[in-house]
Amino acid sequence: MKYKSGPIEKSPRISKLVEDLYKELPEIEADRAVLLTESYRQTEGEPMVIRRAKAFVHILDQIPITIREGELIVGSATKKPRGCQVFPEFSFTWLEEEFDTVATRAADPFFISEETKQSLHAVYQYWTGKTTSELATSYMAPETKKAMEHNMFTPGNYFYNGVGHITVKYWEVLEIGYRGIKEKAQKELETCQLGDADYAKRTRFLQAVILSCDAVCRYANRYADLAEQLAAQCVDPKRKAELLQIAANCRRVPEYGATSFYEACQSFWFVQMLLQMESSGHSISPGRFDQYMYPYYEKDRKEGKLTQEQAQEYMDCIWVKLNDLNKVRDAASAEGFAGYSLFQNLIAGGQNTKGVDVTNDLSFLCIEASMHVALPQPSLSVRVWNGSPNEFLLKAAELTRTGIGLPAYYNDEVIIPALMSRGLSLEDARDYNIIGCVEPQKAGKTEGWHDAAFFNMCRVLELVFSNGMDRGEQIGIQTGDVTKMQTFEEFFEAYQKQMNYMISLLVNADNAIDVAHKERCPLPYESCMVDDCIQRGKTLQEGGAVYNFTGPQGFGIANVADSMMVVKKLIFEEKRLSMAELKEALEANFGQGISNEQAQEITTSVVKELLEKGKKVTEEQIAQIFITVLNTEVSPEKKARYKEILSMIESVPKYGNDLEEPDEMAREVAYTYTRPMEQFKNPRGGIFQAGLYPVSANVPLGQQTGATPDGRLAHTPVADGVGPMAGRDIHGPTATANSVAKLDHGIASNGTLFNQKFHPSALKGQQGLQNFVSFIRTFFDKKGMHMQFNVVSREILLDAQKHPENYKTLVVRVAGYSALFTTLSRSLQDDIISRTEQGSI
Amino acid sequence: MEENKQVVGRIFDIQRYSIHDGPGIRTLVFLKGCVLRCRWCCNPESQEFSIQTMVMDGKEKRIGRDATVEEVMEEIQKDNRYYERSGGGVTLSGGEALCQPEFTKALLMECKEAGLHTAIESTACASYEIIEKILPYLDLYLMDIKHCNAKKHQEFTGKSNELILENARRLALDAKELVIRVPVIPSFNDTKEEIRAIAEFAASLPNVQKLHLLPYHRLGQDKYNGLGRKYLLDGYMPFTEQDIEPLFLEVKKTGLQCQIGG
């Protein structure tokens, strides 16, 4: 056997670390916010990049540090495990508003003490008017803001938070340390001429880099001091020795290059953790860990300094630490990214820049580590191509079989050309890794702004029926009275027009936010580890990276495609239904009753219409309209007709069953999002590129969406990822996969996401694993891009809903990541349960 | 061949991504009509050749349709790449495919023509002349042997087992690969002695190395109600792993490779 792929025993230390991690509800801590604000108050008037660096320095010099019991890799962002710091420079009002509910909300609750509330409240006084989110708002066009209010799309991620979504040059820190990076900056600084046009910006940025590098070295030395102190007090000789080793590690790295695998692990961790201290962005992705760590592993192994068990234990420790980082989001975003996830994507396997497969022992150890800790982080991914060794994929399948939803599988054969079509060199494209959920890019060269917005394609379909109106306001453009449309082509074109317009608003929103980040939150520390920031003397936010993108993601393809099929077949081809009838059925939610929320929306529309006609409306009249709307009895005849309509809709062929017509429709529908996106540019000198995935936002954003012609009822989830609508794919996983593979994944170069759910029996035994691997390989032969699996029986999930106390560590795949099932909201749990279970007999 | 493509058969389901009836990823074609009436049958809608109506989830469902070999092949070939990757193929199931010999033969011939691995899941309860004709186009014969006692076989399946056992002896010599499968049914053949007897018979067959134990499950129960029939095995629980383990060991004693489930 070429690889050392067998199981490695899990050390008891790891079980203990995991147990300690989940003892308590995670807590919000105020230290970072307080220190940041102290520093900002002292640096008023200085260049922003210097202010950012000085604040970073102040935080690292002062923030409380801690070494947790039994740790071998140290460095914690918070005093308490799984705690989170706060980042008021991006936005803060939502947190203040949620002070009293954040501990009890359904999705991702956090404990917050009265003391922390007071500290944060004091800090917040300073920030009014100074955040990126406020500046972004002031840069947006009025129609953009209105469309956002109407939930057509939401750029909430970067609107309220840092950007993150990056893989830096970890390997450079491992190799030359921050001392080496600082020297590079110093050298660049020496080349700056007083007469240079960019002298001011360039020098200040490079000075900011130097300040940041020094701060990180001091920070590591604080840990060395602490480890020595703890060692001095420690009575257990074994732990004492460990602590002294930790101290020695932190004296050396990340200031200098790593000389051993253990040091490399410690150095890696400081980079990973501190990136998330500088800014609140999530999806800071370790990338090709098995590649840049391998030289250290190989050397130590050859010299007999390291056993495989030791290497495994260090890696397991890192895996645990990745779950120690946390982030509090606003209640709405928490639903969209449910499961406390930080999307730290780590990828194993695949080819190198020369196109040679470079799967190695560490690739196997990565998978083993995820088996050992069985936790959602890192978001483990596996690269698959024709040259992937079968035993590696079998090992990955074994992890899939444990049911924690990891790893996700990615297809080199689609991703490499897709990236090249966006301007990456062949070498860079071959060296890709994944950011966050599913977004491919080249590490250390890219500021990708992946995940830049959620775009709900179903909402745009609603605009076609309302001639651009939503809740009484003109949100889309006017595409004419839908009931007067004569052909399907006319209808489809109206949808394209609405899409084009709405996409331009989304671009407007993203670019406004982009500029706000550049002006208010440049990130010198992050920038010093991405090419060519130092050489160009520019932060990432100013366009310092080699590759710049903005990648907002659309979702709802299956619903729109199925809806288009219904309109095409029933209205225009078979003429069994009129457009007016369908429109009415949608407004009446197919006679399935309307919610308070919907009644309110209709009331608002009616009232606005009356006002526009110049009529006066009193409060009582409004209340009366509302009650009338809510209690409108649908006549039995109408009800019967709606039922008939629903049954006609059911008979129309659906996407996801390997049928030419609906699959072709889905492909065309996806183009209405991916193609217009390509023409737009961002302020960093890069282009927009579409992704097709909703993370878990298909559930909360589905709640804001009315009934759709595919028979989906109002306020229910829309389809997940690029997969078919839940429960509509009835011909098994190969049929579903064939349908999904018929989409053009290459053009969605910001990633597509395909969830499949398998029953454990489908992966039983070695034969089951082999069939599973063949299944993935075939989907990839057919040019699918990504695939991930939940392997948990329906019975287990139902039982976990009933007895969450027994399933505290049950991890399931949500979307581009895994999460603890019991921490998800009920509706998202239901959604996961209802995803079609394949291979159950 | 052109005339094969036009042969019509009666099927009631085509199930893709089947991984328990033969190697690799397979497509199962379920043919309608069977000579046996096994009490535990999990596909009771398969037994009658005639097209039936079954009530499922309150809705009436038509069971059975006539399809040409060409139509079935089109569905089968949608997953060609999966078969190639996994070493899979096509398995004919039922019902009993041998009840529609012409269609079965034509379909198998077309599958071979398309380069697919072929299997049949069968009672082998038919005249050997019929079986003989399909063997050249068959890579794997998955044959059920339910009981060695003729009387008990008669009682629970409606037919005696002499023809079946005789065919097994001949198939062992003629089939490319023969695997014996035993449905383990409570109150019928779930004792060590009964399983041992079947295993010993299977082990005595030349060229037979594998035996599959298929533990009883109740997934077909609702279908009996849907067809307006009485489910005669009502009240029996599915086996636990502990129940099957001793039976598994009995089979192993005969030297056969044994696996639980297909």
Side-chain angles (χ1 to χ4, degrees):
Chain A
M1 183 89 84
K2 194 174 158 197
Y3 307 97
K4 297 191 172 60
S5 59
I8 296 174
E9 212 176 315
K10 169 177 163 183
S11 97
R13 179 197 310 273
I14 302 306
S15 310
K16 179 76 173 53
L17 287 173
V18 172
E19 196 189 312
D20 290 350
L21 200 57
Y22 287 89
K23 264 187 188 154
E24 290 174 53
L25 192 67
E27 184 172 344
I28 296 172
E29 298 184 9
D31 299 298
R32 182 192 177 277
V34 169
L35 292 166
L36 174 91
T37 312
E38 273 175 19
S39 174
Y40 261 69
R41 284 185 201 274
Q42 287 160 12
T43 58
E44 300 276 1
E46 295 183 42
M48 191 46 90
V49 73
I50 293 290
R51 298 186 71 190
R52 294 292 302 165
K54 285 187 175 171
F56 186 59
V57 170
H58 189 55
I59 293 166
L60 295 201
D61 285 346
Q62 303 293 330
I63 199 162
I65 61 169
T66 175
I67 293 177
R68 307 200 199 289
E69 210 184 309
E71 282 187 329
L72 293 179
I73 305 290
V74 301
S76 296
T78 50
K79 291 167 280 196
K80 292 273 186 67
R82 289 202 304 147
C84 75
Q85 296 291 350
V86 176
F87 299 76
E89 66 267 47
F90 298 102
S91 66
F92 62 86
T93 42
W94 57 269
L95 182 55
E96 190 151 40
E97 281 160 15
E98 290 178 32
F99 270 171
D100 297 326
T101 51
V102 69
T104 51
R105 67 188 192 188
D108 297 3
F110 278 87
F111 175 74
I112 181 166
S113 71
E114 286 308 314
E115 196 192 337
T116 303
K117 282 184 199 173
Q118 277 170 19
S119 306
L120 289 177
H121 181 71
V123 159
Y124 288 163
Q125 308 303 313
Y126 175 79
W127 286 101
T128 307
K130 296 192 175 73
T131 62
T132 52
S133 123
E134 287 156 298
L135 184 59
T137 309
S138 73
Y139 277 134
M140 284 179 201
E143 48 270 53
T144 301
K145 283 188 253 189
K146 211 187 252 182
M148 280 162 59
E149 278 164 30
H150 284 254
N151 303 312
M152 305 310 297
F153 55 85
T154 165
N157 214 355
Y158 304 159
F159 191 37
Y160 295 117
N161 305 287
V163 175
H165 289 84
I166 199 157
T167 301
V168 299
K169 295 185 286 177
Y170 294 92
W171 57 90
E172 190 171 81
V173 181
L174 300 184
E175 204 178 310
I176 62 173
Y178 283 105
R179 194 165 270 255
I181 294 174
K182 181 182 155 183
E183 279 164 14
K184 278 172 80 172
Q186 274 166 335
K187 254 193 205 146
E188 260 333 294
L189 203 51
E190 284 160 19
T191 69
C192 294
Q193 303 289 318
L194 295 175
D196 288 347
D198 59 353
Y199 179 84
K201 280 252 166 194
R202 197 176 161 88
T203 53
R204 292 305 172 269
F205 165 63
L206 292 167
Q207 284 160 359
V209 167
I210 293 167
L211 285 173
S212 306
C213 288
D214 284 340
V216 173
C217 299
R218 284 199 302 277
Y219 181 76
N221 276 291
R222 289 179 66 202
Y223 271 95
D225 295 343
L226 179 61
E228 280 166 9
Q229 283 167 28
L230 291 173
Q233 300 154 10
C234 186
V235 287
D236 171 13
K238 197 170 156 248
R239 181 61 183 159
K240 192 184 185 101
E242 283 173 5
L243 285 164
L244 288 174
Q245 181 60 53
I246 288 169
N249 289 348
C250 295
R251 290 268 178 249
R252 175 146 194 105
V253 295
E255 185 167 358
Y256 301 94
T259 57
S260 68
F261 182 71
Y262 188 10
E263 281 179 7
C265 286
Q266 179 63 61
S267 191
F268 160 83
W269 178 249
F270 276 122
V271 181
Q272 182 65 14
M273 194 263 292
L274 290 175
L275 280 168
Q276 301 181 57
M277 189 71 93
E278 187 190 28
S279 148
S280 67
H282 64 72
S283 297
I284 307 266
S285 299
R288 305 192 75 180
F289 185 92
D290 64 337
Q291 299 306 310
Y292 55 75
M293 295 299 283
Y294 190 69
Y296 303 91
Y297 170 84
E298 194 188 21
K299 182 169 169 284
D300 282 5
R301 293 281 291 147
K302 265 192 188 144
E303 293 172 3
K305 289 182 191 159
L306 179 76
T307 65
Q308 223 174 4
E309 287 70 22
Q310 282 170 325
Q312 187 70 59
E313 192 176 26
Y314 298 144
M315 282 172 63
D316 290 359
C317 282
I318 289 178
W319 261 234
V320 174
K321 293 294 283 180
L322 287 163
N323 291 279
D324 197 343
L325 297 171
N326 213 339
K327 168 170 174 153
V328 59
R329 300 178 175 89
D330 62 278
S333 301
E335 293 245 347
F337 295 104
Y340 296 111
S341 194
L342 283 173
F343 312 93
Q344 300 166 98
N345 201 309
L346 189 151
I347 199 161
Q351 46 195 301
N352 64 9
T353 56
K354 294 175 190 150
V356 177
D357 191 82
V358 282
T359 306
N360 60 40
D361 284 358
L362 283 188
S363 321
F364 286 85
L365 262 52
C366 286
I367 291 173
E368 190 76 24
S370 286
M371 285 184 185
H372 284 176
V373 302
L375 291 173
Q377 295 294 306
S379 293
L380 188 71
S381 299
V382 161
R383 280 179 53 167
V384 182
W385 71 297
N386 282 334
S388 296
N390 192 47
E391 60 260 52
F392 178 57
L393 297 185
L394 282 176
K395 179 90 182 174
E398 254 182 77
L399 176 59
T400 298
R401 184 163 64 184
T402 65
I404 66 169
L406 299 172
Y409 299 82
Y410 293 89
N411 188 3
D412 281 13
E413 316 281 0
V414 169
I415 290 174
I416 292 169
L419 289 174
M420 288 175 68
S421 79
R422 301 298 183 210
L424 269 72
S425 69
L426 174 62
E427 288 75 19
D428 283 348
R430 280 174 174 161
D431 197 26
Y432 81 89
N433 67 279
I434 298 296
I435 297 284
C437 294
V438 294
E439 306 97 83
Q441 55 91 58
K442 160 66 184 142
K445 280 191 177 178
T446 310
E447 171 72 337
W449 263 61
H450 314 283
D451 235 3
F454 293 124
F455 185 96
N456 187 345
M457 295 170 71
C458 294
R459 291 284 283 140
V460 179
L461 189 60
E462 289 187 86
L463 293 179
V464 177
F465 282 90
S466 63
N467 197 11
M469 297 288 282
D470 188 60
R471 280 182 273 148
E473 285 186 271
Q474 189 73 39
I475 298 303
I477 49 171
Q478 293 190 345
T479 40
D481 182 347
V482 71
T483 62
K484 304 228 165 76
M485 292 181 184
Q486 296 302 311
T487 61
F488 174 68
E489 288 68 31
E490 200 182 329
F491 180 84
F492 195 84
E493 203 179 303
Y495 180 68
Q496 284 176 311
K497 283 183 186 157
Q498 294 286 2
M499 282 293 286
N500 291 346
Y501 175 70
M502 208 45 72
I503 287 168
S504 73
L505 297 188
L506 175 149
V507 168
N508 181 266
D510 269 339
N511 283 347
I513 299 168
D514 211 318
V515 174
H517 277 275
K518 174 182 128 183
E519 292 180 357
R520 292 209 163 150
C521 276
L523 305 173
Y525 171 61
E526 182 183 85
S527 301
C528 83
M529 293 175 280
V530 178
D531 290 338
D532 277 331
C533 290
I534 289 183
Q535 289 83 340
R536 294 183 190 175
K538 273 185 181 175
T539 61
L540 285 167
Q541 292 66 37
E542 292 167 312
V546 175
Y547 301 116
N548 285 288
F549 296 106
T550 302
Q553 59 272 18
F555 65 95
I557 292 168
N559 300 95
V560 176
D562 289 348
S563 294
M564 288 291 178
M565 283 296 291
V566 165
V567 169
K568 187 179 178 207
K569 291 272 150 197
L570 298 182
I571 295 178
F572 292 109
E573 282 180 14
E574 297 167 15
K575 302 194 195 312
R576 293 161 70 194
L577 184 65
S578 75
M579 191 69 91
E581 242 186 327
L582 177 61
K583 186 172 183 235
E584 192 196 296
L586 293 176
E587 282 161 3
N589 194 21
F590 297 104
Q592 305 289 307
I594 60 171
S595 63
N596 262 330
E597 196 189 358
Q598 215 183 354
Q600 261 167 14
E601 278 178 23
I602 296 173
T603 309
T604 315
S605 308
V606 174
V607 171
K608 284 210 172 142
E609 223 166 283
L610 289 172
L611 289 173
E612 269 169 29
K613 285 180 188 157
K615 292 184 183 156
K616 276 191 184 168
V617 192
T618 66
E619 285 294 316
E620 285 100 66
Q621 281 171 317
I622 295 175
Q624 197 52 50
I625 294 169
F626 176 73
I627 289 168
T628 315
V629 170
L630 194 63
N631 297 328
T632 307
E633 278 286 323
V634 181
S635 68
E637 297 80 50
K638 278 264 157 77
K639 257 203 168 143
R641 177 60 180 160
Y642 291 149
K643 214 175 156 192
E644 228 173 79
I645 293 176
L646 275 177
S647 116
M648 277 193 266
I649 290 173
E650 207 185 312
S651 69
V652 175
K654 300 289 188 311
Y655 169 62
N657 294 296
D658 206 0
L659 302 167
E660 277 318 309
E661 207 181 351
D663 293 351
E664 181 61 28
M665 185 66 85
R667 189 178 170 100
E668 290 305 316
V669 164
Y671 280 139
T672 66
Y673 182 71
T674 54
R675 280 203 174 129
M677 196 62 75
E678 291 181 307
Q679 59 183 312
F680 293 103
K681 297 195 166 56
N682 66 32
R684 286 167 284 114
I687 55 166
F688 276 73
Q689 56 170 350
L692 297 172
Y693 58 96
V695 193
S696 61
N698 60 314
V699 176
L701 299 187
Q703 279 166 10
Q704 303 164 348
T705 310
T708 37
D710 57 333
R712 185 195 133 273
L713 297 180
H715 315 306
T716 58
V718 301
D720 160 62
V722 288
M725 185 60 183
R728 285 191 199 150
D729 52 328
I730 51 173
H731 289 99
T734 56
T736 311
N738 287 353
S739 286
V740 172
K742 285 183 216 162
L743 297 176
D744 186 350
H745 293 262
I747 192 173
S749 48
N750 197 44
T752 66
L753 186 153
F754 178 33
N755 267 314
Q756 282 262 52
K757 195 160 76 172
F758 272 69
H759 194 270
S761 68
L763 278 82
K764 216 174 124 192
Q766 201 61 19
Q767 194 53 44
L769 290 178
Q770 190 59 63
N771 283 336
F772 179 75
V773 168
S774 304
F775 175 65
I776 294 168
R777 287 219 195 242
T778 311
F779 177 62
F780 284 176
D781 288 342
K782 290 168 179 268
K783 303 296 180 220
M785 192 174 200
H786 157 273
M787 205 179 212
Q788 62 192 19
F789 303 87
N790 264 326
V791 182
V792 184
S793 67
R794 191 185 157 78
E795 295 73 31
I796 287 180
L797 294 180
L798 289 172
D799 195 49
Q801 280 192 324
K802 263 189 231 151
H803 307 288
E805 65 280 6
N806 300 336
Y807 295 92
K808 268 190 173 170
T809 57
L810 174 62
V811 178
V812 291
R813 194 82 187 175
V814 179
Y817 63 99
S818 288
L820 300 169
F821 184 74
T822 53
T823 66
L824 303 173
S825 67
R826 180 77 186 201
S827 56
L828 189 53
Q829 290 179 350
D830 289 341
D831 186 56
I832 289 174
I833 292 171
S834 71
R835 274 180 209 156
T836 308
E837 194 174 84
Q838 306 283 20
S840 60
I841 306 281
Chain B
M1 281 193 305
E2 216 36 56
E3 59 260 39
N4 278 339
K5 286 187 179 144
Q6 300 315 317
V7 178
V8 175
R10 184 163 292 176
I11 61 175
F12 68 95
D13 200 7
I14 296 179
Q15 191 182 302
R16 294 160 67 178
Y17 199 81
S18 299
I19 51 172
H20 301 304
D21 297 289
I25 296 170
R26 310 187 72 82
T27 294
L28 253 60
V29 182
F30 290 91
L31 282 77
K32 205 153 157 45
C34 187
V35 282
L36 301 186
R37 289 293 178 271
C38 304
R39 288 186 191 180
W40 60 85
C41 182
C42 62
N43 290 330
E45 77 278 29
S46 74
Q47 295 174 345
E48 297 295 330
F49 180 73
S50 63
I51 290 171
Q52 291 167 286
T53 303
M54 182 165 74
V55 181
M56 289 305 281
D57 301 324
K59 283 184 196 163
E60 286 196 352
K61 201 178 155 195
R62 209 176 129 88
I63 304 293
R65 65 184 167 100
D66 291 336
T68 62
V69 166
E70 189 173 23
E71 285 161 355
V72 175
M73 282 306 291
E74 197 183 320
E75 192 65 16
I76 287 173
Q77 291 193 290
K78 284 181 169 178
D79 282 353
N80 273 354
R81 191 79 187 119
Y82 297 92
Y83 313 144
E84 285 167 31
R85 275 289 191 187
S86 66
V90 178
T91 301
L92 305 191
S93 183
E96 172 53 65
L98 300 176
C99 293
Q100 300 184 50
E102 250 188 87
F103 176 71
T104 294
K105 186 183 162 201
L107 183 55
L108 289 173
M109 281 175 83
E110 284 303 303
C111 285
K112 287 323 289 177
E113 184 78 19
L116 304 178
H117 180 274
T118 54
I120 188 170
E121 191 190 24
S122 162
T123 64
C125 191
S127 130
Y128 197 74
E129 277 166 35
I130 289 173
I131 299 175
E132 217 168 23
K133 282 189 188 134
I134 64 164
L135 288 183
Y137 316 105
L138 199 59
D139 296 307
L140 172 64
Y141 207 115
L142 299 164
M143 180 186 171
D144 265 23
I145 295 184
K146 303 164 195 345
H147 214 291
C148 285
N149 179 309
K151 213 176 134 218
K152 213 163 177 187
H153 199 281
Q154 173 83 43
E155 191 190 340
F156 277 77
T157 72
K159 274 230 180 334
S160 185
N161 62 2
E162 285 92 358
L163 177 62
I164 294 171
L165 298 181
E166 176 53 27
N167 283 344
R169 287 185 198 101
R170 299 181 69 174
L171 271 170
L173 294 170
D174 299 343
K176 275 190 201 125
E177 188 185 357
L178 176 65
V179 171
I180 303 300
R181 305 182 116 189
V182 184
V184 184
I185 308 300
S187 79
F188 172 57
N189 64 1
D190 58 339
T191 65
K192 278 204 229 176
E193 294 69 30
E194 285 164 309
I195 293 296
R196 178 71 186 253
I198 299 171
E200 273 171 1
F201 172 77
S204 76
L205 299 171
N207 308 321
V208 169
Q209 269 118 34
K210 292 179 191 161
L211 186 146
H212 297 168
L213 291 176
L214 310 178
Y216 165 74
H217 63 75
R218 297 183 296 179
L219 296 174
Q221 189 168 352
D222 289 344
K223 297 184 191 170
Y224 283 84
N225 300 332
L227 291 164
R229 285 173 55 181
K230 194 171 155 33
Y231 186 59
L232 293 171
L233 287 180
D234 211 3
Y236 288 104
M237 295 299 288
F239 295 108
T240 62
E241 259 176 61
Q242 288 84 347
D243 297 332
I244 294 293
E245 181 70 16
L247 306 180
F248 174 80
L249 293 174
E250 281 306 308
V251 178
K252 296 286 274 184
K253 280 182 198 162
T254 64
L256 288 172
Q257 296 169 32
C258 180
Q259 86 182 43
I260 297 165

